Amino acid sequence: MFVVLVEDDPYIAQSICSALDYLNISVEHVATARAADYFIRQSAVDLCLLDLGLPDQDGLELLQQWRQDEIHLPVLVLPPGIKPGNV
């Protein structure tokens, strides 16, 4: 399985990446909607973990854009207020 993590907080991203690595799940971390959009369109991704509060675009807007473009990748939305100790 190959997962892309879209998260702008480096501490949260590191915690999630470490947990996925521990489970032997390949993960690529990107920190912006623009990088996520490029990566999703260029790579074979099985799952996207998507933060809603990205610095350059709202995560839901990005997801809506993907759906309009018929990108039907499974997406798990990361809830607001997630903290590294809770991952």
Side-chain angles (χ1 to χ4, degrees):
M1 174 175 271
F2 185 59
V3 174
V4 63
L5 169 62
V6 187
E7 171 60 65
D8 62 315
D9 185 307
Y11 299 108
I12 293 171
Q14 180 59 41
S15 295
I16 293 172
C17 287
S18 293
L20 293 173
D21 285 340
Y22 178 79
L23 296 170
N24 293 318
I25 297 173
S26 298
V27 61
E28 178 71 28
H29 169 237
V30 295
T32 64
R34 183 176 180 182
D37 189 51
Y38 178 82
F39 195 85
I40 293 296
R41 293 174 189 275
Q42 301 299 320
S43 304
V45 176
D46 297 306
L47 175 69
C48 177
L49 301 176
L50 179 62
D51 179 22
L52 296 182
L54 299 169
D56 57 339
Q57 183 181 4
D58 181 76
L60 282 180
E61 290 175 5
L62 178 61
L63 181 55
Q64 289 172 341
Q65 178 183 338
W66 288 341
R67 297 306 188 234
Q68 288 174 354
D69 293 343
E70 297 190 16
I71 298 172
H72 297 292
L73 166 76
V75 175
L76 292 176
V77 174
L78 300 176
I82 191 170
K83 300 200 181 341
N86 297 338
V87 175

